[in-house]
Amino acid sequence: MSAPVEHRLSRRDFITTLSVPLLAVGCGQPFDPQRFHVPSSSTVGLFPAGSYEADFADLIFRGLGELGIRLAGRRVFLKPNMVEYELGTAINTHPQVVAGAAIACQRAGASEVVVGEGPGHRRDIEYLLSSTGLADQLREQRIKFVDLNHDDVAIVPLQSWFTGLRELALPVTLLESDFVISMPKLKTHHWAGMTCSMKNLFGTVPGAVYGWPKNPLHIHGIPNSILDLTATIRPHLAIVDGVTAMEGDGPIMGRPRKLGFVAMGSDLVAVDATCARVIGLDPEKIEYLKQAARFLGVIDAERIEHRGELPARYATRFDVVPALESLRLPR
């Protein structure tokens, strides 16, 4: 985790400081171009997984090799998407994918693997862990889980200022990791257009500090918050559960839609742009991806190299709510 940490506070200590205004005045340019570098090209892997019976540990381990990811001696933090549980839906990153990623990271030599999430909808993390089956998977592999809503926090200066905020409290467990992996479920999102590896970072913001559903992020704009969180946390890798995705009124009320792949890449912008095209959305029309291409990563299809399968194998046209029709790729 590359974000600078100013000082560490307990949650209780931090809450007593909330009378200090967080909004920046006259923030001007929303990012410093000298702090960022957009590569000339990026690599995204799309690896087949026809069902959740696949060997995800092997698939993801091979994906790490294809992408040249080195984890030896690193403390790895896995951030899945856990929002709510409803039987028969596709709301959360599947526990088999999360467990497979943890095992793959251990095989690759990680010194520690920790899983953490701070749901913005369902506050009872024990209910989510048990009902989704993730608790059983992590217990079997002896993987530690951290509730990011209630972890100790540190105040971190934001590295971009689209929200107008200058700093944010983030969980210490996340900040002390060497290698952060965003593990979203690929879904449509009725406000942002799509939720994938960048939007997944909302779950790193502690509810015990900012409330539910992470109130400042909504007040200051979801696309703005996605950009500031990605610029500040700077995850090192995305592993996307696209085995069964969600279409329609996502990220909670939509319908499952089988796709059959896991997407991986170290450029989160390129990964999300590729996933957007697969489900029939134009990344140039998704506001946070359009802005992210200015300083965080690549969205141009011709500048994205592929490992595994080509996006055309999985390309389809997801149903979306009427407000998102304008985001579609042309037929």
Side-chain angles (χ1 to χ4, degrees), residues 217-249:
L217 305 184
H218 291 79
I219 292 169
H220 296 288
I222 290 176
N224 294 333
S225 299
I226 292 171
L227 291 162
D228 285 355
L229 284 169
T230 306
T232 301
I233 297 171
R234 299 304 294 272
H236 302 82
L237 184 67
I239 301 176
V240 181
D241 176 2
V243 182
T244 299
M246 177 183 283
E247 67 177 352
D249 190 10

Side-chain angles (χ1 to χ4, degrees), residues 55-312:
D55 185 344
F56 290 103
D58 180 68
L59 182 155
I60 293 170
F61 181 75
R62 289 187 289 106
L64 295 173
E66 287 273 356
L67 297 171
I69 302 297
R70 302 289 179 258
L71 297 179
R74 298 175 116 172
R75 295 169 297 175
V76 176
F77 183 89
L78 303 179
K79 178 10 189 116
N81 184 212
M82 295 174 62
V83 183
E84 182 56 274
Y85 177 74
E86 295 287 345
L87 185 64
T89 63
I91 297 173
N92 307 305
T93 310
H94 198 280
Q96 295 284 6
V97 181
V98 180
I103 296 169
C105 291
Q106 291 174 328
R107 287 182 187 172
S111 62
E112 180 184 44
V113 179
V114 175
V115 177
E117 167 67 308
H121 189 262
R122 169 71 69 164
R123 300 191 189 193
D124 187 344
I125 192 67
E126 296 298 330
Y127 169 79
L128 281 179
L129 286 169
S130 61
S131 60
T132 61
L134 183 57
D136 292 337
Q137 292 289 333
L138 298 182
R139 187 181 305 112
E140 182 177 342
Q141 302 302 327
R142 298 183 179 179
I143 301 294
K144 178 182 177 182
F145 180 88
V146 176
D147 180 358
L148 300 186
N149 278 328
H150 296 96
D151 195 20
D152 283 349
V153 298
I155 297 176
V156 176
L158 295 178
Q159 300 301 298
S160 70
W161 314 287
F162 287 85
T163 57
L165 301 174
R166 287 289 178 171
E167 60 188 24
L168 202 64
L170 290 175
V172 167
T173 302
L174 170 75
L175 299 174
E176 292 180 345
S177 300
D178 299 320
F179 198 93
V180 177
I181 303 179
S182 179
M183 295 194 65
K185 167 75 78 173
L186 176 55
K187 299 182 286 189
T188 53
H189 191 288
H190 50 208
W191 291 325
M194 180 186 70
T195 178
C196 202
S197 63
M198 294 171 66
K199 172 64 174 66
N200 186 43
L201 299 178
F202 267 46
T204 64
V205 177
V209 175
Y210 294 109
W212 281 262
K214 315 302 173 72
N215 299 322
L217 305 184
H218 291 79
I219 292 169
H220 296 288
I222 290 176
N224 294 333
S225 299
I226 292 171
L227 291 162
D228 285 355
L229 284 169
T230 306
T232 301
I233 297 171
R234 299 304 294 272
H236 302 82
L237 184 67
I239 301 176
V240 181
D241 176 2
V243 182
T244 299
M246 177 183 283
E247 67 177 352
D249 190 10
I252 298 176
M253 304 300 293
R255 298 175 298 279
R257 178 75 176 267
K258 290 186 177 182
L259 284 177
F261 68 82
V262 170
M264 297 177 62
S266 57
D267 179 345
L268 271 66
V269 181
V271 171
D272 287 10
T274 298
C275 289
R277 291 188 176 98
V278 165
I279 67 174
L281 299 181
D282 186 346
E284 294 277 1
K285 297 177 182 177
I286 297 175
E287 184 60 27
Y288 68 85
L289 284 177
K290 180 180 178 181
Q291 293 297 327
R294 298 170 56 196
F295 70 114
L296 288 175
V298 173
I299 64 172
D300 298 336
E302 60 270 21
R303 292 167 55 200
I304 300 175
E305 301 174 3
H306 294 285
R307 298 288 186 272
E309 302 293 336
L310 294 175

Side-chain angles (χ1 to χ4, degrees), residues 307-329:
R307 298 288 186 272
E309 302 293 336
L310 294 175
R313 170 175 175 177
Y314 304 105
T316 185
R317 188 176 174 88
F318 270 25
D319 289 339
V320 296
V321 295
L324 302 183
E325 287 288 341
S326 62
L327 303 184
R328 290 192 185 277
L329 287 166

